[in-house]
Amino acid sequence: NIEIRHPVLMTVGMVCLFAESAIAYRSLASLGMQQQQKKNVHLVLHTVILLLTIVSLRAIFRFHNEATPPIKNLYSLHSWLGILTVVLFFGQYFVGLYVYFFPRMNVETRKNVLPYHAYVGTLMFSLFVTATVVMGVLEKMTFIKACNNNGEMNNKCVVANTYGIVVIFLGGAVYLSLASPHKSLIPEPRYA
């Protein structure tokens, strides 16, 4: 079913891999990984997220357009916030790629951009990704009437609500781990 691709790919990409990428950038330092290696892991994970996001969005637009009758695209707060999140993610990705990889700016510029890059990434995951996921869960459960079908709540609602709560706690945990000062955010002169 093409409809299931969107939540699955977005969960794998924007939730799991995004959290992993942000936390790995810090935690890999404790394993003795060099700055450039950490950046490479960070870039590869974000590239996978970018590709999964493109496939996911293509799937949901296709599902909406091929439904009988067609479902209007971008009709809900979930979709609006989702598009905003994707635009911010793509912007963050390409600014990071330009500043830190190709053509790679001078050390001073990289050092000045780093706090903003880290802040926007943390904000995107902790607030936008978390809120968008929770709204998507609510939208789907409302659409299929899983949480209040003639006064009854079925197992889909319990699973969806549990998933939403887990995502909120994950967002909080990632925020707390990234908000605390850490020496790995201080750029090394050669690789910032």
Side-chain angles (χ1 to χ4, degrees):
N1 186 348
I2 194 168
E3 178 188 15
I4 197 70
R5 290 182 197 165
H6 177 70
V8 169
L9 294 177
M10 286 306 229
T11 296
V12 170
M14 281 291 199
V15 177
C16 298
L17 292 180
F18 201 151
E20 184 63 36
S21 176
I23 292 173
Y25 192 77
R26 284 194 167 194
S27 64
L28 292 175
S30 65
L31 299 175
M33 193 173 273
Q34 298 298 316
Q35 184 76 2
Q36 188 62 41
Q37 293 170 312
K38 291 188 321 183
K39 283 172 45 181
N40 291 341
V41 169
H42 192 70
L43 175 65
V44 166
L45 288 172
H46 275 81
T47 301
V48 173
I49 296 166
L50 183 117
L51 295 173
L52 290 174
T53 299
I54 291 169
V55 172
S56 171
L57 290 176
R58 184 178 181 281
I60 199 64
F61 280 108
R62 184 175 161 205
F63 171 74
H64 281 193
N65 294 336
E66 293 177 1
T68 307
I71 301 168
K72 185 162 181 57
N73 289 308
L74 304 176
Y75 65 89
S76 66
L77 183 57
H78 165 71
S79 58
W80 288 21
L81 190 55
I83 292 297
L84 175 63
T85 303
V86 168
V87 167
L88 285 172
F89 179 83
F90 278 47
Q92 175 86 336
Y93 178 87
F94 288 110
V95 166
L97 195 63
Y98 181 76
V99 171
Y100 298 107
F101 285 94
F102 311 108
R104 207 162 130 182
M105 306 299 276
N106 63 52
V107 173
E108 193 62 32
T109 300
R110 288 181 275 153
K111 194 164 78 173
N112 290 335
V113 170
L114 183 62
Y116 299 103
H117 183 72
Y119 175 75
V120 170
T122 302
L123 179 69
M124 272 190 336
F125 181 79
S126 300
L127 181 60
F128 292 113
V129 170
T130 303
T132 303
V133 168
V134 170
M135 282 187 247
V137 169
L138 176 63
E139 180 180 317
K140 184 62 179 178
M141 291 301 101
T142 301
F143 191 70
I144 65 171
K145 298 178 181 174
C147 294
N148 188 4
N149 189 8
N150 296 324
E152 297 293 320
M153 179 173 72
N154 69 33
N155 291 338
K156 289 180 185 176
C157 184
V158 174
V159 170
N161 288 345
T162 303
Y163 170 70
I165 290 169
V166 167
V167 169
I168 289 170
F169 278 108
L170 178 63
V174 169
Y175 175 78
L176 288 175
S177 71
L178 296 178
S180 62
H182 190 275
K183 69 176 187 162
S184 73
L185 289 181
I186 301 169
E188 297 171 15
R190 296 183 325 176
Y191 299 120

